[in-house]
């Protein structure tokens, strides 16, 4: 999940063609419309195929239950943050420019078996299952989503981290040609996030490949994204291309940009306000109204032990 405050000097992302120019070019537009429609349809058809579609829906893991209804699929799919494509919540259409095949993930650093693996090979090698999780954005809104994916621990078993590996550093793509938001000069691309090694090894921490019983769409971070449900959503980096096991704690995207507001740990705590708004409640997107926020987003019984001995850290930003 990503969050940015608009500045008064920022220009809009797009400009509308003046009406008089549009009308004077009506004939040209009409002539080209058929060709453009055909090209877009062909592109959409090519992008629609997913080589792993036969793996969905996956078996649901009932260990982690949620006491509220699922967010409707169309709602969850049309209210997203993906700053690589722009700052609007209605980013789904723009995100369709993301080419997700071919796609490889580089796994390197302090591991016994570093490798660069094709996404389809990786997905088929992992134990996919569905998890229904609460999702809490730092902007004080939430959803309830059925993700499909696999525990990061399964990936760790495959590559065998060395004892000196203390953190995971995860990085998304860095291609301005089809991600116009990455042309914004005030951000430090690519998007980087990180977890402590014990957080990553926790069963709740998953790498997501699907949602609502289907391969994950582009606006949700296809073909591979992180979900750590006890943290604010901006930790859950999308469209991962590299996972590095490192000894030093990585500096994350929002930490680099505004460390006073968005720290490394970013655990949900209703008692600790964001510098510009309260975190005591959250708005359930899709008509659920406002509800009280929960410590660790309701997963405290599972993850609170991770932070014993880290109480002096800034755990809640």
């Amino acid at each position: 999940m990503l969050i940015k405050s608009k500045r008064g000097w920022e220009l809009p992302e797009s400009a509308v063609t003046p009406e008089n120019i549009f009308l004077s070019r009506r004939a040209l537009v009409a002539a080209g419309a058929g060709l453009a429609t055909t090209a877009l349809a062909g592109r959409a058809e090519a992008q629609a195929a997913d080589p792993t579609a036969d793996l969905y829906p996956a078996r649901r893991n009932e260990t982690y239950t949620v006491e509220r209804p699922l967010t409707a699929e169309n709602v969850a799919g049309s209210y997203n943050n993906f700053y690589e494509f722009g700052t609007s919540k209605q980013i789904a259409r723009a995100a369709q420019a993301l080419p997700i095949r071919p796609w490889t993930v580089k796994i390197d650093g302090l591991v016994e078996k570093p490798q660069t693996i094709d996404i389809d090979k990786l997905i088929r090698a992992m134990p996919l299952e569905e998890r229904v999780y609460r999702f809490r954005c730092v902007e004080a809104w939430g959803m309830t989503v059925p993700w499909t994916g696999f525990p990061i621990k399964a990936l760790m078993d495959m590559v065998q981290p060395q004892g000196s590996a203390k953190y995971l550093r995860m990085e998304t793509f860095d291609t301005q040609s089809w991600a116009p938001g990455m042309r914004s000069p005030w951000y430090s691309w690519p998007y980087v996030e990180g977890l402590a090694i014990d957080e990553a090894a926790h069963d709740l921490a998953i790498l997501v490949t699907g949602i609502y019983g289907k391969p994950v769409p582009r606006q949700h971070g296809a073909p591979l994204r992180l979900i750590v449900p006890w943290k604010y959503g901006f930790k859950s980096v999308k469209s991962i291309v590299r996972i590095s096991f490192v000894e030093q704690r990585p500096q994350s995207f929002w930490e680099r940009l505004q460390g006073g507001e968005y720290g490394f740990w970013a655990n949900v705590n209703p008692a600790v306000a964001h510098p510009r708004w309260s975190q005591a409640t959250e708005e359930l997107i899709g008509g659920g109204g406002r509800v009280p926020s929960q410590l660790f987003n309701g997963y405290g019984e599972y993850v609170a032990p991770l932070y014993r001995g880290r109480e002096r850290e800034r755990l809640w930003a």
Side-chain angles (χ1 to χ4, degrees), residues 42 71 79 82 88 110 121 125 142 144 157 202 220 244 248-249 255 268 277 309 316:
T71 302
Y79 192 88
F82 207 159
S88 168
L110 302 172
K121 182 178 178 180
T144 307
D157 290 342
H202 195 282
H220 286 296
S244 303
Q248 301 299 317
R249 191 168 89 182
E255 191 178 13
V268 177
W277 56 78
W316 315 112

Side-chain angles (χ1 to χ4, degrees), residues 20-140:
N20 65 315
I21 296 177
F22 169 77
L23 292 175
S24 68
R25 301 296 188 270
R26 177 173 301 202
L28 179 61
V29 170
L35 292 175
T37 300
T38 301
L40 288 173
R43 179 179 178 186
E45 182 178 357
Q47 290 186 343
D50 189 302
T52 64
D54 60 296
L55 300 177
Y56 306 89
R59 178 187 61 86
R60 178 174 293 184
N61 184 331
E62 301 285 0
T63 302
Y64 310 106
T65 59
V66 178
E67 71 289 346
R68 63 196 193 196
L70 289 180
T71 302
E73 182 178 357
N74 67 315
V75 172
S78 59
Y79 192 88
N80 313 100
N81 284 319
F82 207 159
Y83 274 45
E84 286 84 346
F85 292 95
T87 58
S88 168
K89 289 289 188 295
Q90 287 70 47
I91 204 67
R93 183 175 182 181
Q96 302 314 302
L98 174 64
I100 59 176
R101 296 295 190 283
W103 191 281
T104 58
V105 181
K106 183 177 183 179
I107 308 168
D108 64 356
L110 302 172
V111 294
E112 296 297 330
K113 297 182 178 180
Q115 55 194 276
T116 298
I117 186 169
D118 176 78
I119 187 63
D120 299 318
K121 182 178 178 180
L122 175 62
I123 292 172
R124 291 190 179 277
M126 292 292 109
L128 295 188
E129 61 182 30
E130 186 176 76
R131 306 275 189 94
V132 177
Y133 282 166
R134 288 179 290 273
F135 182 84
R136 175 59 156 81
C137 180
V138 73
E139 297 170 327

Side-chain angles (χ1 to χ4, degrees), residues 5 13 59 75 103 127 138 150 169 183 201 218-219 223 236 238 249 262 294 296 301 308 311 314:
S5 298
E13 294 182 35
R59 178 187 61 86
V75 172
W103 191 281
V138 73
F150 55 91
R169 180 186 183 275
R183 301 168 197 159
R218 290 162 175 80
Q219 67 268 29
S236 293
K238 295 181 171 183
R249 191 168 89 182
Y262 311 105
Q294 301 181 60
F296 291 113
E301 64 178 300
R308 291 172 187 158
E311 289 82 4
R314 192 162 162 260

Side-chain angles (χ1 to χ4, degrees), residues 55 76 97 174 204 235 305 309:
L55 300 177
D174 189 4
L204 276 168
K235 291 293 293 184

Side-chain angles (χ1 to χ4, degrees), residues 268-285:
V268 177
N269 189 338
V272 178
H274 183 278
R276 290 179 281 124
W277 56 78
S278 170
Q279 296 288 18
T281 63
E282 62 194 84
E283 178 72 21
L284 296 184
I285 300 302

Side-chain angles (χ1 to χ4, degrees), residues 4-13 186 276:
K4 170 180 177 288
S5 298
K6 282 284 188 182
R7 301 172 175 85
W9 46 264
E10 289 181 26
L11 294 175
E13 294 182 35
W186 47 84
R276 290 179 281 124

